[in-house]
Amino acid sequence: MPFTKNINDDFSIKDDRIVLSKNYFDNYHNHFAKITGTRFSCILGQNKFSSPFKTWAIMTKIYKEEMDPTLSKVGCAIEPKVREYVEKELGCKYLSYDPVQIRFDVFHENKIFGGIPDGEPIVNGRIDYSKFPMLEIKTTSIDSFVYKKENGSLLMKKDEKGYPLIKLPGEKRNSWYCDNDIVISEEYKYQLGLYLYLRNIDRGIFAVTFLTGEDYVHPENYVANEHEIALVNFSINNLDHFKQKVEYAKQWYIDHIQTGISPKMTAEDKKWLKEELGQVF
């Protein structure tokens, strides 16, 4: 069960909110997570898989969401190759980070926001944004696959040879396009936008690569030049509007993470809690 802490001992549910126990909050609040780019999108209600309520549970460490190991393996194997492809296309060098070495955060001076950009341009060994944009890599499948829920996490279903089961051919790629132009979702714009904002720069670039079923079985064999990779420029067009979103997330953190009291659960959150805890709320 992904809930790692116990109801009535470590937390309780009152008035459609989770309230952390004083003992749990006092012992663990210094280890609560910061708002990363992905969580920023969730807090703003832009992620269809994770609500602000669920994100709060993850950030306060009472719930742990496991990533599908296949997707994790694919990302680790393919993202460096996509980064090299972008470097050749743009004529620059990108700094990538070892998450463990930097404690999963490059913004240590910020107490509320954090995370890791996929690539930062470097010149003479130093981060330099004067000529090149911040890089955000997205690996996505061409087809939509079949997933099953197991122990609270969605896991990719596979055939007897280990290949992903296809739900609808071409559907995933089609979802990225409109009239032959690739469209970046609001969720991903906010993810990259937060890191741009924290670096006080305004230019980024998305590198979106589309993967076949074979890539999920043997990601080590991925060759960038043999795959479709879309490069999409991005900038924060309305800085004042974006700053308002950042301030909203900051206040959300103060109101909910720093108090140990969750945002109010929605009807969908109640369904999720019922699935995870086996109780009706």
Side-chain angles (χ1 to χ4, degrees):
M1 181 180 292
F3 265 94
T4 60
K5 305 303 174 183
N6 299 316
I7 188 170
N8 299 325
D9 291 329
D10 301 305
F11 63 91
S12 59
I13 298 178
K14 300 176 182 177
D15 299 325
D16 288 341
R17 299 178 190 269
I18 291 180
V19 180
L20 300 180
S21 69
K22 184 179 186 305
N23 182 63
Y24 179 81
F25 183 84
D26 289 345
N27 288 330
Y28 292 98
H29 73 274
N30 288 330
H31 302 287
F32 291 170
K34 296 182 358 181
I35 299 174
T36 61
T38 300
R39 293 173 187 145
F40 182 55
S41 294
C42 294
I43 290 166
L44 297 178
Q46 296 295 328
N47 187 309
K48 61 183 178 181
F49 298 110
S50 188
S51 69
F53 180 84
K54 184 178 180 180
T55 300
W56 176 90
I58 293 170
M59 291 176 66
T60 56
K61 307 298 180 72
I62 65 172
Y63 182 87
K64 185 177 182 180
E65 188 170 50
E66 300 288 351
M67 184 177 184
D68 187 310
T70 299
L71 298 180
S72 180
K73 179 182 178 182
V74 166
C76 289
I78 291 178
E79 285 189 10
K81 297 179 180 181
V82 175
R83 188 179 297 107
E84 291 177 3
Y85 172 88
V86 177
E87 289 176 337
K88 292 177 182 178
E89 288 293 306
L90 299 186
C92 70
K93 183 68 178 176
Y94 275 107
L95 172 65
S96 61
Y97 297 93
D98 180 337
V100 175
Q101 188 176 41
I102 63 169
R103 292 177 288 141
F104 297 91
D105 189 14
V106 301
F107 304 101
H108 292 293
E109 71 284 354
N110 194 305
K111 302 302 181 183
I112 294 178
F113 298 98
I116 308 174
D118 287 334
E120 300 201 81
I122 53 173
V123 178
N124 297 323
R126 298 172 63 90
I127 296 174
D128 186 341
Y129 280 104
S130 61
K131 293 183 179 180
F132 300 103
M134 180 181 287
L135 175 63
E136 177 73 15
I137 299 170
K138 296 298 179 187
T139 57
T140 184
S141 58
I142 294 173
D143 307 313
S144 65
F145 296 143
V146 178
Y147 286 83
K148 63 179 177 180
K149 196 163 189 178
E150 188 173 297
N151 294 326
S153 299
L154 287 176
L155 299 178
M156 184 184 295
K157 294 190 69 173
K158 302 175 182 179
D159 64 19
E160 64 279 0
K161 295 182 179 180
Y163 284 80
L165 291 179
I166 295 175
K167 185 177 180 180
L168 285 172
E171 183 189 48
K172 197 68 181 291
R173 181 189 180 278
N174 292 341
S175 70
W176 282 82
Y177 280 86
C178 180
D179 297 330
N180 296 319
D181 291 324
I182 197 165
V183 178
I184 304 298
S185 69
E186 291 300 304
E187 174 188 357
Y188 293 152
K189 288 179 182 178
Y190 280 122
Q191 285 182 17
L192 177 55
L194 178 65
Y195 297 146
L196 296 179
Y197 184 87
L198 294 176
R199 284 294 194 222
N200 196 29
I201 57 174
D202 62 3
R203 289 194 305 136
I205 189 168
F206 287 94
V208 185
T209 183
F210 295 92
L211 309 180
T212 65
E214 180 71 23
D215 295 317
Y216 288 88
V217 181
H218 298 291
E220 69 279 2
N221 295 334
Y222 173 94
V223 178
N225 288 330
E226 296 176 0
H227 286 73
E228 178 185 4
I229 300 178
L231 300 182
V232 183
N233 291 312
F234 172 74
S235 63
I236 300 175
N237 295 322
N238 189 330
L239 185 59
D240 288 338
H241 175 75
F242 196 87
K243 185 176 181 180
Q244 290 175 14
K245 299 296 184 181
V246 174
E247 289 300 316
Y248 172 87
K250 179 179 178 180
Q251 190 61 51
W252 183 95
Y253 185 95
I254 293 170
D255 291 342
H256 301 297
I257 302 299
Q258 291 185 348
T259 64
I261 302 173
S262 78
K264 268 202 166 186
M265 65 179 81
T266 65
E268 286 301 312
D269 292 325
K270 291 181 180 180
K271 291 180 183 179
W272 172 66
L273 274 186
K274 181 182 179 182
E275 291 177 358
E276 298 295 337
L277 297 175
Q279 300 182 35
V280 177
F281 300 97

